[in-house]
Amino acid sequence: MRLFILGLGYTARHFVRRFGGSFSHVAGTVRDPAKRDDLAGLELHGFSGNRPAESTVNRIRDADVLLVSIPPGSTGDPALAALGDVVAKGHRKVVYLSTIGVYGDHAGGWVDESTPPQSSLDRARMRVAAEQAWTETAQGNVAILRLAGIYGPGRNALTSLRSGTARRIIKPGQVFNRIHVDDIASAIMAAINHRSGGIWNICDDEPAPPQDVITYAAQLMGIAPPPEEAFETAEMSVMARSFYASSARVSNARLKRELGVTLAYPTYRHGLDALWRAGDGR
């Protein structure tokens, strides 16, 4: 199989490290290939929203699998706008990385893939529109993976505590869902191998209050956690505050049942334990 990745970000790079050897050829896009020494060894193509070079188009046209991790913008999905005609032709499998943010606020109640998206946030509504557009353009052969909050090596509560950026914002009743990047990689590979398209939530087993994660990480490090801050009075950016507008417990039952994924890190404690042993936060 030949793999092309639209948007070689944190999650996609990790997927390549885990499963790149499963493909006969791997290529992907970044904004400026000349500035990405960290991706040496990968075939890189520039993409900044305009129609890419013909060599890039040909690689996409020849790909058996297209992994899409570029988010939509205010005017829609830039990848589809530039490459929709290419995606519409052929019979490649498309895996689109979306977000559980599309479900909106459920006051901490449980939701699953049958729950209609209802977010009031513009960025979540644009995600829903992008999901629909990719599904229609690729004629249904699309796996929509709705990701929870991503953490993993170099990107977790341990490293934020060590850098001094961790905060314990307290909003009663607030829970967030999380997923380790290793488990995302396993879900992507399972979706590629699945016989058909569909929508799957990619999250761990235990939605939890955000302050609990910081407290547990501090215990692992043997340090005092940062002080509690009331959400109502905490100084936060508009973007950061918007994440607290939604509270829902997202089910991963379909991920396990249909894609057969067994999570390596079923809770944030499993993930942080492994990251601490590996040296994160030291």
Side-chain angles (χ1 to χ4, degrees), residues 29-31 46-50 52 78:
T29 67
V30 293
R31 288 186 179 275
F47 179 68
S48 57
N50 298 317

Side-chain angles (χ1 to χ4, degrees), residues 5-10 12-13 16 27-30 36 39 42 44 69:
I5 301 171
L6 284 166
L8 275 161
Y10 177 80
R13 295 198 308 272
V16 172
T29 67
V30 293
R36 295 309 300 265
L39 297 175
L42 276 178
L44 301 181
S69 67

